[in-house]
């Protein structure tokens, strides 16, 4: 039963408090179930003196927030405010800021009272002034940035830097100590929070969720993450849904539905909601304090019961709904229009510029309502009695090491990947399923790091489909909801989080896990990783900025394994065929992104061992799960992957002379088809000198001046020549290779890749439809080399005939021609009758 507490008439008739700088009006206070305090009982939570100081601290945070948005000079208003004291361009978001300041001061209290290990995630990250203000008040900002001191000069620098050239952004950014969540793009705060507490049993994440953010798809789904939280081995998330009623210019849905409907929604998602509602600061402080005490005690009760009794039964975790006016304590009206409590408070509620000089006085009156002279001494330092309200040392949320995860990062214990090598007696002699082999390696990684509890596998219910299920030999899927007969691999604790079909949640969990100092990977179907395009972008931006901040420690790389890729979706069809994530990724800074397309299992093992050991990158690895020929021994694979690109001498016949043609490949399926095309050419035009090049590290194609992995012009020309035709089989969209090589001298580059043709068909027919098959590749070579003459003409006719034969055969039999299905890289005689290809790789 939902219970409400309503103010008395006397309480509701209070007027504006000139000393508090807050607007006092009628307040509606309510809570769930056991929060049934009367004002007399609530008074016992905070002593009058503590309430007075907490309200003053809140006023200080609000004052600093307004100063950041508006002021260029005169930070303590020691002289009358003038237009020249105001920034020429005023930028920022006020609406969410006072509510977040209110939350922060109350979290400080419970951190001190209960000695909590807590970090703060600001879902409405555009409320950057609030977090910067509080990190400054607690002293962390000045420790990280000593040039911004705890004095009047420091205040001036703090104000000026906000949304100012050469300063900091208006959002909660990587530059903000204590932050692991940028907040510029809304929707991911709660999934980041859960990622942070997985395997962090002592951590609580206070996650503030804006009511606008709550309307996004990712956030709406992330409420369900509580079904995957283990109260024994994981920490806790305390969501605080901040209902201030408006977005930019529209109302928010959750603020306008009936209270009972909101309560049912949150309870239906598995939470126990407590409501703090009103606009009277004194009563709001009292109720928020009582509610936070209740929430923290419930979290402790759940954890102690689970840990002391080994009881994994899923409980309803507490959460708080804070309903306060948008732009609380700001201007009530501007130019005759209501502002506080309306959408007009969202960004800058008061325009102060040469066109609105009359607003200077209103800004001054607004700022003076906080009474800075009571909050800061003559030198601009926060009063000692207020300093005492903040936690100390690493208990300060701005200084918590979990929010600078590289401090806590420990190396993974890594198995020897050579132990999983595929035995390759000769190139293409055996077939293997690349991700199946990788799964056994990841199983060993998981097992070796179970005691450290710092490695997890994430995915949207695709771990088994992507053939990584060997990991379930040593661990389980973490799952805290009901289990029924025939479920597989479910347990209250496990190193695999793939039981929610949401790419957004997997990405958010993994990012939160990495940002707090752990390791992991995200396995996904290639086509559907596009769902998190923008999330990847935000994380890459975070890595880019933090790389430039000496106080931010490097974190483990974000590793993507894209399996079930475009060339292996013949059974699912067109909707599952999209290799465009590679195109998206390479737009980011070269010192952050890496893209690998290993041609076989041994190369995949070598690449993934490297990726799991790396720091502060985004590694994208594309690998197949279907059985394909294996080309390199493990020793050769290590050399090849270390170099990232190279001539496959065993497939070439140009050694000691200039090639007539370069055949290049990148990706497992293009490698197969390029080598099959080469075998046809070698058989029918044995005098043709062909150089075969395989690319593992896609960024090798880019110039060294643009990417640290890129080849120099000299090295590129040595491989690809300066004038010979290059027929390049590529895994993705062809123009990506053209884009990467646009500065190269040799313009005779002809790329064949995916060109948006596909359906449910055979695997080989997928390649035929996109002109990546061996027959189209041979035809392309003949067209590029007119000197082949009659041989070329007959060869071209032969492959055209083969394409017709192929089409007729699959239409009748529903599978590829036997010569396609059974093809092996073999031994072809040259014109002298000698073997042009060694019997084994070892002969090279």
């Amino acid at each position: 039963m939902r219970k409400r507490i309503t103010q008395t008439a006397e309480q509701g008739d209070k007027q504006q408090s000139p000393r508090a700088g807050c607007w006092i009006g009628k307040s509606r206070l309510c809570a769930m179930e056991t929060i049934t305090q009367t004002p007399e009982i609530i008074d016992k939570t905070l002593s009058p003196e503590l309430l007075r100081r907490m309200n003053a601290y809140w006023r200080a945070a609000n004052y600093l927030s307004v100063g950041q948005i508006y002021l260029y000079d005169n930070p303590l208003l020691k002289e009358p405010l003038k237009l020249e004291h105001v920034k020429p361009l005023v930028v920022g978001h006020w609406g969410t800021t006072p509510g977040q300041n209110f939350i922060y001061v109350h979290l400080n209290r419970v951190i001190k009272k209960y000695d909590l290990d807590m970090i703060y995630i600001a879902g409405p990250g555009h409320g950057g002034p609030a977090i910067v203000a509080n990190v400054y008040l607690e002293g962390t900002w000045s420790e990280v940035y000593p040039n911004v001191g705890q004095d009047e000069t420091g205040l001036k620098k703090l104000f000026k830097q906000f949304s100012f050239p050469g300063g900091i952004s208006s959002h909660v950014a990587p530059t903000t100590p204590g932050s692991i969540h940028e907040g510029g793009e809304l929707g991911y705060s709660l999934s980041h929070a859960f990622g942070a507490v997985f395997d962090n049993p002592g951590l609580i994440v206070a996650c503030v969720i804006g009511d606008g953010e709550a309307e996004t798809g990712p956030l709406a789904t992330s409420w369900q993450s509580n079904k995957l939280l283990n109260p024994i081995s994981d920490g806790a998330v305390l969501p605080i849904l901040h209902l201030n009623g408006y977005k930019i210019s529209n109302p928010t849905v959750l603020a306008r539905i009936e209270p009972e409907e909101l309560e049912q929604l949150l309870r239906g998602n598995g939470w126990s909601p407590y409501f703090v509602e009103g606009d009277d600061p004194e009563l709001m402080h009292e109720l928020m304090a009582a509610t936070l005490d209740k929430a923290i005690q419930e979290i402790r009760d759940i954890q102690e019961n689970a840990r002391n009794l080994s009881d994994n039964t899923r409980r309803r975790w507490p959460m708080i709904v804070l309903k306060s006016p948008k732009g609380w304590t700001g201007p009530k009206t501007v130019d005759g229009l209501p502002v506080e409590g309306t959408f007009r408070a969202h960004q800058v509620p008061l325009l102060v510029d040469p066109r609105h000089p009359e607003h200077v006085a209103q800004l001054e009156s607004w700022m003076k309502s906080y009474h800075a002279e009571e909050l800061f001494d003559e030198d601009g330092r926060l009063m000692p009695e207020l300093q005492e309200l903040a936690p100390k040392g690493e208990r300060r949320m701005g200084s918590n090491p979990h929010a600078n995860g590289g401090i806590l990062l420990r190396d993974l214990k890594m198995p020897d990947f050579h132990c999983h090598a595929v035995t390759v007696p000769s190139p293409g002699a055996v077939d293997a399923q690349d991700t199946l082999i990788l799964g056994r390696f990841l199983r060993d990684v998981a097992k070796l790091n179970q005691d450290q509890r710092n490695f997890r596998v994430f995915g949207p219910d695709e771990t088994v489909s992507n053939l990584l299920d060997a990991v379930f030999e040593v661990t389980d899927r973490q799952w805290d909801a009901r289990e029924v007969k025939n479920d597989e691999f479910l347990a209250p604790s496990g190193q695999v989080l793939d039981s929610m079909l949401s790419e957004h949640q997997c990405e958010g969990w993994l990012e939160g896990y990495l940002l707090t100092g752990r390791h992991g990977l995200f396995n996904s179907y290639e086509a559907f990783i596009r769902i998190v395009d923008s999330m990847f972008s935000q994380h890459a931006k975070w890595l880019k900025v933090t790389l430039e901040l000496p106080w931010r420690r490097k974190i483990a790389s974000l590793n993507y394994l894209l399996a079930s890729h475009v060339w292996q979706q013949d059974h699912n069809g067109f909707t599952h065929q999209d290799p465009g994530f590679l195109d998206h990724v390479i737009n980011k800074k070269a010192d952050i992104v890496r893209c690998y397309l290993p041609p076989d299992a041994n190369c995949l093992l070598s690449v993934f061992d490297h990726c799991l050991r790396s720091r502060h990158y985004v590694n994208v690895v594309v690998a197949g799960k279907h059985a394909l020929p294996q080309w390199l021994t493990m020793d050769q694979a290590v050399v090849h992957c270390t170099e990232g690109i190279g001539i496959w001498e065993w497939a070439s016949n140009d050694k000691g002379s200039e090639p007539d043609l370069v055949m290049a490949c990148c990706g497992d399926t293009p490698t197969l088809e390029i080598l099959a095309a080469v075998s046809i050419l070698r058989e029918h035009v044995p005098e043709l000198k062909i150089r075969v090049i395989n690319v593992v590290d896609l960024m090798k194609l880019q110039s060294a001046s643009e990417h640290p992995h890129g080849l120099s012009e000299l090295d590129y020309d040595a491989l690809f020549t300066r004038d010979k035709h290059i027929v390049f089989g590529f895994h993705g969209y062809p123009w990506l290779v053209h884009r990467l090589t646009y500065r190269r001298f040799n313009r005779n580059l002809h790329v064949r890749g995916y060109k948006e043709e596909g359906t449910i068909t055979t695997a080989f027919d997928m390649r035929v439809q996109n002109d990546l098959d061996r027959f189209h590749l041979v035809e392309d070579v003949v067209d590029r080399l007119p000197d082949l003459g009659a041989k070329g003409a007959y060869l071209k006719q032969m492959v055209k005939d083969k394409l017709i034969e192929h089409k007729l055969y699959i239409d009748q039999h529903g599978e590829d021609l036997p010569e396609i299905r059974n093809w092996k890289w073999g031994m072809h005689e040259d014109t002298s009758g000698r073997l042009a290809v060694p019997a084994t790789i070892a002969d090279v």
Side-chain angles (χ1 to χ4, degrees):
M1 175 71 67
R2 194 166 190 261
K3 300 183 179 180
R4 285 185 178 274
I5 306 169
T6 304
Q7 289 177 244
T8 64
E10 291 78 14
Q11 292 168 329
D13 289 336
K14 290 184 179 180
Q15 301 300 311
Q16 180 185 4
S17 167
R19 296 184 62 79
C22 302
W23 297 92
I24 309 301
K26 291 188 176 181
S27 178
R28 213 168 35 148
L29 305 180
C30 53
M32 285 295 303
E33 297 178 343
T34 56
I35 296 294
T36 59
Q37 295 93 339
T38 65
E40 291 75 19
I41 296 175
I42 293 173
D43 284 344
K44 297 179 181 179
T45 305
L46 299 177
S47 69
E49 174 61 16
L50 179 56
L51 190 153
R52 180 191 67 80
R53 288 192 293 139
M54 288 181 65
N55 190 65
Y57 197 98
W58 180 45
R59 287 157 45 207
N62 286 338
Y63 181 85
L64 295 188
S65 299
V66 180
Q68 289 177 76
I69 295 173
Y70 284 96
L71 293 192
Y72 179 82
D73 201 353
N74 193 15
L76 291 173
L77 301 182
K78 289 184 176 179
E79 58 179 288
L81 189 65
K82 302 175 183 177
L83 187 59
E84 56 262 34
H85 297 151
V86 179
K87 295 176 184 178
L89 178 62
V90 176
V91 178
H93 291 75
W94 168 247
T96 181
T97 294
Q100 293 202 60
N101 286 331
F102 180 83
I103 292 168
Y104 207 102
V105 67
H106 279 271
L107 293 176
N108 280 343
R109 184 189 71 86
V110 293
I111 290 171
K112 292 191 68 176
K113 179 176 180 178
Y114 299 100
D115 189 29
L116 300 180
D117 190 6
M118 176 180 281
I119 63 174
Y120 182 106
I121 287 181
H126 46 276
I131 313 306
V132 173
N134 281 281
V135 172
Y136 177 82
L137 288 174
E138 71 185 21
T140 302
W141 191 279
S142 299
E143 293 173 10
V144 174
Y145 303 105
N147 62 312
V148 183
Q150 295 283 312
D151 53 25
E152 184 175 359
T153 301
L155 283 176
K156 179 178 177 180
K157 291 179 178 179
L158 183 80
F159 290 177
K160 178 184 174 182
Q161 70 179 0
F162 182 81
S163 288
F164 200 81
I168 61 173
S169 70
S170 66
H171 292 74
V172 180
T175 52
T176 309
S179 172
I180 66 167
H181 176 83
E182 209 278 349
E185 181 178 345
L186 302 178
Y188 317 127
S189 59
L190 198 50
S191 55
H192 281 163
F194 274 94
V197 302
F198 289 134
D199 296 323
N200 257 337
L203 182 67
I204 298 177
V205 177
C207 182
V208 180
I209 300 158
D211 46 358
E213 179 189 20
E215 296 174 4
T216 64
L219 196 289
T221 304
S222 60
W223 294 112
Q224 308 302 330
S225 298
N226 55 14
K227 283 75 176 176
L228 306 178
L229 194 69
N230 186 313
I232 297 175
S233 56
D234 298 329
V237 175
L238 177 61
I240 302 174
L241 176 60
H242 187 202
L243 293 183
N244 61 30
Y246 294 92
K247 302 184 282 285
I248 297 173
S249 60
N250 269 290
T252 56
V253 173
L254 296 186
R256 293 296 180 89
I257 62 177
E258 293 303 314
E260 292 73 16
E261 187 178 354
L262 176 60
E263 173 198 332
Q264 291 166 1
L265 173 67
L266 297 174
R267 292 186 63 82
N269 284 330
W271 297 91
S272 182
Y274 295 93
F275 291 75
V276 178
E277 177 179 346
D279 58 8
D280 181 320
E282 180 177 339
L283 291 174
M284 289 289 280
H285 282 302
E286 291 166 342
L287 184 59
M288 187 66 171
T291 303
L292 264 175
D293 280 350
K294 175 65 178 175
I296 296 301
Q297 193 56 57
E298 280 195 14
I299 289 172
R300 288 194 158 186
D301 290 346
I302 292 170
Q303 292 178 334
E304 289 174 5
N305 179 74
R307 294 169 188 180
N308 295 337
L309 303 177
S310 297
D311 181 4
N312 287 298
T313 304
R314 183 169 71 89
R315 306 299 175 96
R316 290 185 184 273
W317 293 89
M319 65 166 292
I320 295 172
V321 180
L322 171 64
K323 188 170 185 180
S324 63
K326 196 173 186 76
W328 196 10
T329 77
K332 288 188 75 70
T333 62
V334 175
D335 297 333
L337 294 175
V339 174
E340 185 193 39
T342 77
F343 66 88
R344 297 183 182 91
H346 179 74
Q347 293 181 331
V348 178
L350 185 67
L351 291 177
V352 183
D353 55 30
R355 292 177 297 174
H356 302 84
E358 70 281 5
H359 289 169
V360 173
Q362 189 171 4
L363 173 61
E364 183 176 32
S365 176
W366 173 17
M367 295 193 70
K368 283 189 172 182
S369 72
Y370 296 113
H371 291 273
E373 71 279 3
E374 299 175 358
L375 312 173
F376 303 94
D377 65 19
E378 184 66 21
D379 295 325
R381 293 180 177 86
L382 187 66
M383 293 295 188
E385 65 170 0
L386 301 185
Q387 293 179 26
E388 288 300 315
L389 294 178
K392 306 302 179 186
E394 291 184 351
R395 283 296 191 248
R396 295 173 296 177
M397 289 187 283
S399 294
N400 193 304
H402 291 287
N404 191 2
I407 295 174
L408 305 176
L409 183 64
R410 292 177 293 172
D411 290 342
L412 285 174
K413 298 176 183 178
M414 294 294 288
D416 182 0
F417 65 91
H418 292 78
C419 297
H420 299 281
V422 176
T423 301
V424 182
S426 64
V430 297
D431 289 355
Q433 294 169 283
D434 296 356
T435 57
L436 182 68
I437 304 299
L438 179 66
R440 298 165 187 165
F441 170 68
L442 295 176
R443 171 199 62 201
D444 293 353
V445 176
K447 184 176 182 179
L448 283 175
N449 293 280
Q450 284 178 336
D451 291 340
Q452 293 191 151
R453 297 196 65 86
N454 66 340
F455 174 76
R456 285 186 182 250
V457 176
F458 299 81
D461 190 28
E462 291 164 359
T463 304
V464 171
S465 179
N466 288 331
L467 302 188
L468 304 179
D469 44 315
V471 297
F472 294 121
E473 296 172 17
V474 298
T475 189
D476 293 294
R477 295 176 167 125
Q478 186 154 313
W479 177 260
D480 201 33
R482 287 189 303 115
E483 296 180 42
V484 299
K485 185 179 180 181
N486 296 320
D487 285 342
E488 283 192 327
F489 315 129
L490 299 181
S493 179
Q495 291 168 281
V496 179
L497 283 166
D498 79 334
S499 47
M500 188 182 292
L501 187 57
S502 169
E503 285 81 0
H504 287 119
Q505 301 315 308
C506 295
E507 176 79 12
W509 296 334
L510 176 55
E511 289 177 3
Y513 199 68
L514 299 176
L515 288 162
T516 48
R518 281 76 63 75
H519 306 257
L521 68 98
F522 182 175
N523 80 97
S524 172
Y525 284 13
E526 182 184 42
F528 302 133
I529 199 67
R530 302 304 307 272
I531 292 169
V532 299
D533 272 7
S534 59
M535 293 186 74
F536 149 76
S537 291
Q538 296 299 323
H539 189 75
K541 290 174 186 290
W542 182 279
L543 294 179
K544 186 264 184 190
V545 175
T546 54
L547 199 60
E548 301 164 359
L549 298 172
W551 60 272
R552 283 277 187 185
R553 303 289 182 86
K554 288 186 176 181
I555 62 172
S557 297
L558 171 56
N559 299 305
Y560 292 101
L561 174 65
L562 307 186
S564 302
H565 61 57
V566 60
W567 302 110
Q568 297 182 353
Q569 288 293 346
D570 39 281
H571 61 299
N572 279 322
F574 200 35
T575 57
H576 285 55
Q577 297 157 4
D578 186 349
F581 191 63
L582 292 172
D583 301 65
H584 179 56
V585 167
I586 69 161
N587 290 322
K588 301 307 170 189
K589 296 296 289 187
D591 50 2
I592 297 299
V593 295
R594 305 288 184 265
C595 299
Y596 301 100
L597 293 95
D600 64 7
N602 286 339
C603 289
L604 177 59
L605 288 168
S606 178
V607 163
F608 231 90
D609 178 81
H610 166 75
C611 291
L612 289 178
R613 295 175 187 271
S614 68
R615 296 286 185 274
H616 227 72
Y617 296 130
V618 176
N619 297 310
V620 181
V621 182
V622 183
K625 64 182 183 182
H626 292 180
L628 287 176
Q630 303 297 298
W631 309 109
L632 302 183
T633 66
M634 180 55 79
D635 288 344
Q636 291 173 323
V638 170
V639 172
H640 183 49
C641 294
T642 301
E643 294 175 344
I645 188 173
I647 298 171
W648 278 4
E649 188 174 340
W650 52 267
S652 308
N653 65 348
D654 69 319
K655 189 173 183 179
S657 62
E658 276 291 301
D660 300 310
L661 170 72
V662 175
M663 298 283 281
C665 46
C666 183
D668 53 11
T669 300
T671 297
L672 168 63
E673 290 305 314
I674 284 288
L675 290 174
V678 168
S679 70
I680 295 172
L681 291 166
R682 294 275 297 280
E683 179 180 0
H684 292 275
V685 195
E687 68 275 16
L688 187 66
K689 300 299 181 183
I690 304 173
R691 176 179 296 175
V692 177
I693 295 175
N694 182 264
V695 180
V696 177
D697 182 349
L698 184 61
M699 310 318 293
K700 288 289 182 181
L701 298 177
Q702 203 164 17
S703 173
S705 63
E706 298 179 33
H707 196 284
H709 285 197
L711 291 175
S712 68
E713 301 303 323
L714 187 65
D715 288 342
Y716 182 90
D717 291 344
L719 284 175
F720 289 97
T721 77
R722 289 174 64 85
D723 58 357
K724 299 300 187 290
H725 285 285
I726 307 165
V727 175
F728 199 124
F730 180 53
H731 172 87
Y733 292 108
W735 40 88
L736 178 55
V737 175
H738 286 289
R739 178 179 169 188
L740 292 171
T741 59
Y742 82 100
R743 287 189 175 180
R744 302 300 190 180
F745 184 84
N746 189 344
R747 312 308 298 171
N748 296 311
L749 176 63
H750 319 287
V751 187
R752 298 293 172 262
Y754 183 66
K755 57 179 190 180
E756 286 294 323
E757 293 292 342
T759 183
I760 294 178
T761 184
T762 68
F764 183 71
D765 192 54
M766 264 292 297
R767 305 165 210 164
V768 170
Q769 291 190 30
N770 290 277
D771 298 342
L772 184 62
D773 64 285
R774 61 203 68 179
F775 302 133
H776 278 108
L777 291 169
V778 169
E779 184 178 0
D780 199 10
V781 169
V782 173
D783 288 341
R784 305 294 174 188
L785 302 175
D787 290 346
L788 292 178
K791 278 191 175 181
Y794 278 94
L795 180 55
K796 186 173 180 178
Q797 183 63 56
M798 185 200 79
V799 296
K800 284 181 173 291
D801 293 346
K802 279 293 181 184
L803 286 169
I804 294 173
E805 181 184 353
H806 151 76
K807 183 66 168 65
L808 294 173
Y809 188 89
I810 65 168
D811 284 353
Q812 180 177 354
H813 298 282
E815 62 179 354
D816 289 319
L817 286 161
E819 66 187 85
I820 300 297
R821 288 183 279 119
N822 301 323
W823 179 88
K824 297 285 186 184
W825 176 265
M827 298 180 181
H828 307 300
E829 293 187 347
D830 63 19
T831 54
S832 66
R834 298 179 63 83
L835 292 176
V837 180
T840 67
I841 290 181
D843 294 333
V844 176

